Structure formats: structure tokens, C-alpha cells
Amino acid sequence: MNNTGNTLLGIIVGSAIGGALGILFAPDKGEVTRRKIAEKAVATRDNLTEGAIDLKDRVAETITSKSESLEGRMESLVSDVSYKTEDVIKTLEHKLAELKEKNKKLQKTS
């Protein structure tokens, strides 16, 4: 995601610089050149705005996706722990029953 943002920024800045240099070295009158520079500045601002909005949307989408993925993993983990807890309780209850049975046999022989 960081590389995409850097690439997008590089393309936009490179386009703006190239456009400005092309206009400055063009053989037009000063008034025409200033108008072209102003138009390029507005276009660059619009491109930057669109790029920022796009980047914001992609970041929000990624965060939402990661959040949903994390929630799903947490639910799965809680479910797994619950099942394992049940297994442990059953095993402990079985062992307790065995110990009670042994204890009854010991009490009868004494």
C-alpha cells in the first residue's frame, strides 16, 4: 500500500513538473503561458485531490477488511477454546468419577 501511494505521488508530481517545464519553454506569449500554468495547477490540484480520495478509500477498505478478518479469527479462536474447555471438563469429570470409585472400594475394604 505504501509503494502504491509513493508511485501515485511520483506520477502526479512528475506530470506536474513536466507540464510546467513544457509550458515555460513553449514559444507562447506571457499571458498565454500564465493561463496554461494556471490550468495545469488546477488540473494538478484536482489530480492530487482524486489521488488522496482514492488512497483514503483504499486505506479504509484495507482497514475494514483486516478488522473483519481479525474478528473472524477471534470468533474462531473463542469457539475452539470453548470446545477444548468442554473436552477438559469431560476428562476431569471422568477422572473424578474414577477416583470416587477407587475411594469407595478403599472405604469398603477398611
Side-chain angles (χ1 to χ4, degrees):
M1 186 168 65
N2 192 18
N3 287 338
T4 304
N6 288 339
T7 302
L8 180 63
L9 182 62
I11 290 171
I12 292 170
V13 170
S15 297
I17 291 172
L21 288 175
I23 291 171
L24 290 174
F25 289 108
D28 285 332
K29 291 183 176 182
E31 180 181 320
V32 173
T33 302
R34 284 189 296 276
R35 182 177 43 80
K36 286 181 181 179
I37 290 173
E39 289 171 357
K40 285 291 184 179
V42 169
T44 301
R45 181 197 67 203
D46 292 345
N47 287 339
L48 285 172
T49 301
E50 289 175 16
I53 290 169
D54 181 51
L55 184 59
K56 177 193 69 114
D57 290 344
R58 283 187 284 146
V59 167
E61 182 180 311
T62 300
I63 289 171
T64 300
S65 173
K66 296 292 182 183
S67 176
E68 289 170 355
S69 175
L70 180 61
E71 287 175 13
R73 288 181 186 173
M74 288 297 294
E75 287 176 13
S76 178
L77 180 63
V78 168
S79 178
D80 288 348
V81 168
S82 178
Y83 283 117
K84 293 195 186 301
T85 301
E86 271 305 308
D87 290 343
V88 169
I89 289 171
K90 286 179 183 176
T91 302
L92 289 173
E93 287 173 343
H94 181 70
K95 291 292 182 184
L96 181 60
E98 288 177 0
L99 289 172
K100 284 182 177 181
E101 192 61 37
K102 284 181 183 179
N103 192 31
K104 281 182 185 179
K105 288 180 183 178
L106 289 173
Q107 287 177 357
K108 289 181 183 177
T109 58
S110 6

